[in-house]
Amino acid sequence: MRKFSTVILLLTFTIIACEKSDVAENTPNCIVNKIETLKKNSICDDPNIKEYNFQGIVVYVVDQGSCGADLSAGVFDSDCNGLGELGGIIGNTIINGEEFSNATFIRLIWRK
């Protein structure tokens, strides 16, 4: 009976480990936390998080979605320090004194 329990336990762990995540691999934990918050609280149908190289570091743009013309997208480093906001009612495009259009897109981290 003990052997059977061990096999069931191993199968359970294997199935759980093989579940596909909707979050890109190697995403910092603090960004994963932002994803969980967006999943629960987003008022839009299309929030997303994208990864860029900007000013020599990897940054994450947390976009709330397109359901509001004045919604902004937060820009964060890998420790979730806020670097600024893009868009919004004034249409900001500058982060740390530089046009964010100079950033290089790396990958999509998550989208609803």
Side-chain angles (χ1 to χ4, degrees):
M1 186 69 169
R2 182 179 167 116
K3 189 174 186 177
F4 179 74
S5 297
T6 303
V7 169
I8 295 298
L9 186 62
L10 286 172
L11 285 173
T12 302
F13 285 133
T14 301
I15 290 169
I16 290 170
C18 291
E19 282 185 24
K20 185 176 179 182
S21 173
D22 61 344
V23 178
E25 200 172 315
N26 300 319
T27 299
N29 287 334
C30 66
I31 299 298
V32 172
N33 292 339
K34 290 190 177 297
I35 291 168
E36 293 305 317
T37 300
L38 278 174
K39 284 180 181 179
K40 293 176 187 171
N41 301 321
S42 177
I43 60 172
C44 298
D45 292 333
D46 60 344
N48 64 79
I49 298 181
K50 295 176 182 166
E51 184 179 73
Y52 292 85
N53 188 309
F54 182 67
Q55 295 181 334
I57 62 170
V58 173
V59 299
Y60 300 87
V61 176
V62 179
D63 188 343
Q64 299 176 52
S66 60
C67 65
D70 61 349
L71 293 177
S72 61
V75 180
F76 300 90
D77 66 15
S78 60
D79 293 322
C80 284
N81 297 308
L83 303 177
E85 298 281 329
L86 295 170
I89 199 158
I90 61 170
N92 183 51
T93 60
I94 307 290
I95 301 293
N96 284 342
E98 183 178 348
E99 278 289 333
F100 195 76
S101 61
N102 293 332
T104 303
F105 176 77
I106 298 172
R107 63 184 176 155
L108 176 68
I109 295 297
W110 172 83
R111 74 171 158 219
K112 187 173 182 182

